[in-house]
Structure formats: C-alpha cells, structure tokens
Amino acid sequence: MDEQTPIVEVRRRRSRAEAGRLVAEYEASGLSRVEFCQKQGLSLATLARYRKRQTQGSPLAGNRWVEVKESAGRPVREDGASSGLVVALPSGRRIEIGRGFDSHTLAQLLGVLERL
C-alpha cells in the first residue's frame, strides 16, 4: 500500500436489537438528537432510520396521537396544589399545566416538541 491510498474504516451493521437499544437509550437520555448522535458517533440519518424502523408495525405507526387515560383522581403537585393537566410519559418525563395556563406558551412548547 502506498502513502496516497486512503484508509477507509469499515463499519459493521448493527442488529435490530442493537438499533433498538440505541433508540431506547436516546429516548431515555433527555438529550437532543444532535447531542446524542455526537456522543454515540452516530449520524442523525441513522438514528432517524432506527426510530422509524422501530415504530413500523406498532399500532400507532404513522399516527401522531397517543392514548390518553383519565386519572381516577385529580393530579396533585409536590406542593399539594392540584393542577389542571399532567402528561406523564413512560420515560418518566412530565408536562404539568396549572389551571388558568397561558395557551400561547403551551402552543410554543408543542411547537418545540414537534420539531424534536
């Protein structure tokens, strides 16, 4: 091999299980897609492909809506006051909106979340 021959790193393909673990790690990390991919040495396109592959075959595939269950009681915050609305995700993340919330702020938050 001469000095002008480029060295190319050959990467092996990840199994579906490995890809699924990466998606689960990303979703639990709380990091942005860019931050997570930089830490993992992963391209944004690859993460997007893994996430899309994981949702295919899901009953909610292609559907941006999620199932909502009504709580038996009113949600109670740590300070003891009741809130107007709580969205609790399986990952443990929560969005809590108090009574009389600012709808403009909620619209901004939803816009940010949809871009993730």
Side-chain angles (χ1 to χ4, degrees), residues 21-78:
R21 279 191 295 274
L22 277 170
V23 170
E25 285 177 29
Y26 161 67
E27 290 174 352
S29 73
L31 299 172
S32 71
R33 290 179 298 184
V34 173
E35 292 169 326
F36 181 81
C37 287
Q38 286 174 343
K39 282 184 132 180
Q40 295 293 326
L42 193 65
S43 76
L44 288 170
T46 299
L47 179 61
R49 185 174 59 250
Y50 291 167
R51 291 179 74 202
K52 183 176 180 179
R53 186 185 302 160
Q54 189 169 358
T55 60
Q56 289 175 342
S58 162
L60 297 176
N63 190 344
R64 303 271 317 191
W65 295 96
V66 295
E67 180 183 3
V68 175
K69 295 179 182 177
E70 185 176 349
S71 173
R74 289 187 170 174
V76 177
R77 299 189 322 222
E78 289 179 13

